[in-house]
Amino acid sequence: KVLTSLDVAGHEMTHGVTSRTANLTYSGESGGLNESTSDIFGTAVEFYANNASDPADYLIGEKLMKSGTGALRSMIKPSADGASADCWYSGVGALNVHYSSGVANHFFYLLAEGTLGGSPSPTCTVGNTRVATGAGTVAAIGRAKAEKIWYRALTVYMTANTNYAAARQATLSAAADLYGAGSPEVN
């Protein structure tokens, strides 16, 4: 039995980075952002490792599960676990931080991979809460750019009490800093 996995190890180490940068409070929406930041960079570690025995994906902790039984969380469709939120809604901050993290996990997946080319990830639409049902399109900017945007947002714009609305603005500001106002990355 595997006692840890690369994405989970990266996830846990990212909590240290977060505590020394934005120091996102571990409750409410900022707690969800704290957890999703660790999921985002844990996933990034897995992609960078390029380990043939643990192919990179957008699943968190799948190597900890018995073969074929899923993962701790999915960034592609967070709500697949029956508890996580794909979309922001007014009550998302009341969820356990591991479940409210789905909002930013879903954002990151769509930003990096987009919806074109048969993505299994629906977009959020007006009225969606926990489960996304939209058929909108999002152009992918790639993981590397998405990682840089999230890291800059975390280290320059987010603070302890950042909520999802402020995180949206932080990522827009970070994307503009890195790629220019009006760039495809900002759009």
Side-chain angles (χ1 to χ4, degrees), residues 31 75 172:
M75 297 175 80
L172 289 170

Side-chain angles (χ1 to χ4, degrees), residues 5-10 41-57 62 143 147:
S5 64
L6 188 56
D7 57 353
V8 172
F41 291 120
T43 295
V45 166
E46 190 175 73
F47 273 99
Y48 281 107
N50 197 24
N51 182 350
S53 67
D54 183 9
D57 53 38
E62 73 283 358
R143 275 185 314 280
E147 291 162 7

Side-chain angles (χ1 to χ4, degrees), residues 9-23 34 38 154:
H11 170 105
E12 296 304 334
M13 289 179 208
T14 300
H15 280 303
V17 173
T18 299
S19 74
R20 295 295 184 199
T21 57
N23 196 25
N34 188 316
S38 288
L154 175 73

Side-chain angles (χ1 to χ4, degrees), residues 19-184:
S19 74
R20 295 295 184 199
T21 57
N23 196 25
L24 292 160
T25 302
Y26 203 72
S27 64
E29 291 187 22
S30 60
L33 287 162
N34 188 316
E35 275 299 315
S36 65
T37 295
S38 288
D39 286 350
I40 288 166
F41 291 120
T43 295
V45 166
E46 190 175 73
F47 273 99
Y48 281 107
N50 197 24
N51 182 350
S53 67
D54 183 9
D57 53 38
Y58 288 93
L59 301 174
I60 309 303
E62 73 283 358
K63 286 294 201 181
L64 300 178
M65 311 304 275
K66 288 183 179 179
S67 183
T69 62
L72 297 174
R73 285 183 294 286
S74 168
M75 297 175 80
I76 299 166
K77 186 162 178 52
S79 63
D81 67 6
S84 294
D86 295 336
C87 308
W88 182 88
Y89 62 99
S90 62
V92 79
L95 296 176
N96 176 290
V97 296
H98 294 95
Y99 302 140
S100 65
S101 67
V103 176
N105 285 347
H106 191 216
F107 159 82
F108 185 84
Y109 173 79
L110 291 172
L111 183 63
E113 301 295 332
T115 58
L116 306 175
S119 170
S121 188
T123 56
C124 296
T125 190
V126 175
N128 284 168
T129 55
R130 198 180 62 73
V131 180
T133 62
T137 59
V138 177
I141 66 166
R143 275 185 314 280
K145 287 181 178 180
E147 291 162 7
K148 288 176 184 170
I149 289 168
W150 195 265
Y151 185 77
R152 183 161 180 83
L154 175 73
T155 60
V156 175
Y157 295 105
M158 292 185 193
T159 62
N161 296 313
T162 295
N163 61 16
Y164 275 111
R168 177 185 181 275
Q169 187 56 55
T171 58
L172 289 170
S173 296
D177 292 349
L178 294 167
Y179 303 106
S183 65

